[in-house]
């Protein structure tokens, strides 16, 4: 499989994709939601394991470099919403 940057359609180095994928699998574990910031320059992926943990990771977009990681919930993160370009709200099953 080949992965390309958008909109330039430059081929992305496989190691970059594997590093980002590993971060998602090892930290978020089971993704439940994705959201883009209002300017579409940040992508957030959130999820977790029910009754165990909830986490999200944010990447710059479209270059997919990790920006922030949080494991601040005790249950799965089910939804994320950007209030503006700086503030992200998360909703999880831990109340």
């Amino acid at each position: 499989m080949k992965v390309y940057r958008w909109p330039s359609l430059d081929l992305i180095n496989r190691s970059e994709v594997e590093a980002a994928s590993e971060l998602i699998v090892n930290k978020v574990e089971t993704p439940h939601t994705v959201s883009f910031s209002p300017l579409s320059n940040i992508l957030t992926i959130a999820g977790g394991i029910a009754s165990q943990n909830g986490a999200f990771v944010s990447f710059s977009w479209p270059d997919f470099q990790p920006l922030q990681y949080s494991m601040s919930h005790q249950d799965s993160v089910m939804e994320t919403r950007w209030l503006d370009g700086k503030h992200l709200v998360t909703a999880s099953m831990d109340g």
Side-chain angles (χ1 to χ4, degrees), residues 1-6 8-18 20-21 61-64:
M1 179 172 82
K2 294 181 181 180
V3 180
Y4 296 88
R5 295 191 195 284
W6 180 260
S8 67
L9 297 180
D10 295 329
L11 186 62
I12 296 176
N13 182 318
R14 189 171 202 48
S15 63
E16 290 180 61
V17 174
E18 288 172 355
S21 297
W61 187 260
D63 57 346
F64 215 56

Side-chain angles (χ1 to χ4, degrees), residues 10-69:
D10 295 329
L11 186 62
I12 296 176
N13 182 318
R14 189 171 202 48
S15 63
E16 290 180 61
V17 174
E18 288 172 355
S21 297
E22 186 174 316
L23 182 61
I24 294 166
V25 169
N26 290 335
K27 302 298 184 184
V28 176
E29 298 185 52
T30 305
H32 296 298
T33 185
V34 297
S35 62
F36 279 97
S37 65
L39 296 176
S40 298
N41 62 336
I42 301 173
L43 170 67
T44 298
I45 301 170
I49 304 245
S51 300
Q52 293 182 25
N53 63 55
F56 71 87
V57 61
S58 294
F59 297 94
S60 59
W61 187 260
D63 57 346
F64 215 56
Q65 296 301 308
L67 298 174
Q68 181 180 10
Y69 164 71

